[in-house]
Amino acid sequence: MEQKFRGVFAHKDGGWTAAIGFEGKNKYLGWYREFDSAKQARLAAEIELFGAVFDRREIELHPDHALIPLHGRKGVFYGYAQIDLQDLDDVRDIAWTLDPRGYVAGRPPGFKTSTTMHRWIIYGEAKGGGVDHVSGDKTNNRRANLRIATQTQNARNTRIATNNTSGFKGVSETAEGRWRARITVDRVELRLGNFDTREQAAAAYDAAALIHHGEFASPNEPPLCL
């Protein structure tokens, strides 16, 4: 069984080295003949530098999928990413985390740059083309939730913006207290009208999204019934 531990690396000439990131630099902890010695050096450094050992989680295996733990700086645990069992061997040797956009990201062994898990699964390389998460959940990287998409198509399948004050996508309040519905199609804003209620404006947006965005439409949830 392969011996693995965060911050412990097999040396090309035998034995093991230990290291830890601290204040933006990689701190070398030494060379050790035994794996357990390097592991203990790493754990001691975590306590010395950060006051506690990092929160480590293992891969969880389920009948039809696996959960990949996501760790950040200082061992912070961000949750799990979902993958199909068929992709386990391709992702298990990469340390995955969440990037600022909420995507699962990591740097494959031997690569100088990081990649996102969904592109790695679909293309098997660090870059690759566009991939869209059907459900909008960026941690769900099961193949049924991934589809090839252009940048424009990917942008259509977005969730409500954090600065939205109406509670609905494509809806904003007018100066007169009514509710405006708008949608962007091929970088052109289409005005769908003003309505008495937010729900009516949201329904207008949802209908337009299905027409103009097709399978990449991301209507308001739950679907509105008027």
Side-chain angles (χ1 to χ4, degrees):
M1 182 177 179
E2 183 182 6
Q3 292 178 299
K4 294 178 59 178
F5 195 80
R6 182 175 182 177
V8 175
F9 311 93
H11 194 276
K12 64 179 181 179
D13 298 322
W16 303 84
T17 60
I20 189 170
F22 183 66
E23 295 183 344
K25 297 181 180 180
N26 195 42
K27 182 178 177 64
Y28 178 66
L29 302 176
W31 176 91
Y32 302 87
R33 188 178 303 278
E34 303 295 333
F35 174 83
D36 285 342
S37 298
K39 175 180 174 180
Q40 291 305 315
R42 166 67 191 217
L43 290 172
E46 291 175 7
I47 295 174
E48 177 184 355
L49 298 175
F50 299 104
V53 296
F54 289 178
D55 184 355
R56 290 177 171 84
R57 307 295 175 100
E58 300 297 327
I59 295 174
E60 293 187 8
L61 298 180
H62 296 265
D64 64 344
H65 70 284
L67 298 179
I68 308 299
L70 308 174
H71 293 102
R73 291 184 177 182
K74 302 181 182 180
V76 175
F77 176 62
Y78 291 136
Y80 292 95
Q82 300 179 48
I83 64 166
D84 292 321
L85 292 178
Q86 72 183 85
D87 297 312
L88 181 58
D89 288 342
D90 292 328
V91 307
R92 71 189 317 160
D93 292 330
I94 302 173
W96 297 101
T97 187
L98 286 181
D99 71 10
R101 303 167 299 169
Y103 288 106
V104 180
R107 188 173 68 179
F111 285 76
K112 294 182 179 181
T113 59
S114 63
T115 184
T116 50
M117 180 181 281
H118 57 285
R119 285 196 176 94
W120 185 254
I121 288 174
I122 295 298
Y123 296 107
E125 55 184 271
K127 293 185 178 179
V131 181
D132 177 55
H133 291 83
V134 178
S135 69
D137 181 358
K138 298 174 182 176
T139 64
N140 181 355
N141 290 298
R142 302 188 66 177
R143 288 179 178 265
N145 194 46
L146 303 178
R147 59 187 172 191
I148 305 298
T150 64
Q151 184 176 1
T152 298
Q153 290 171 329
N154 202 335
R156 292 171 180 170
N157 185 24
T158 57
R159 294 295 178 257
I160 189 169
T162 56
N163 62 350
N164 182 291
T165 58
S166 71
F168 294 102
K169 285 182 61 177
V171 177
S172 59
E173 189 173 9
T174 69
E176 296 76 22
R178 301 189 75 204
W179 298 94
R180 178 189 300 112
R182 294 176 291 184
I183 190 170
T184 300
V185 179
D186 296 330
R187 299 184 180 181
V188 177
E189 182 181 274
L190 303 182
R191 298 184 179 183
L192 306 174
N194 295 339
F195 302 85
D196 292 331
T197 68
R198 292 180 299 173
E199 291 76 13
Q200 290 173 334
Y205 171 87
D206 291 350
L210 293 173
I211 293 173
H212 295 288
H213 295 168
E215 65 175 307
F216 290 91
S218 178
N220 289 283
E221 296 179 354
L224 296 171
C225 298
L226 299 181

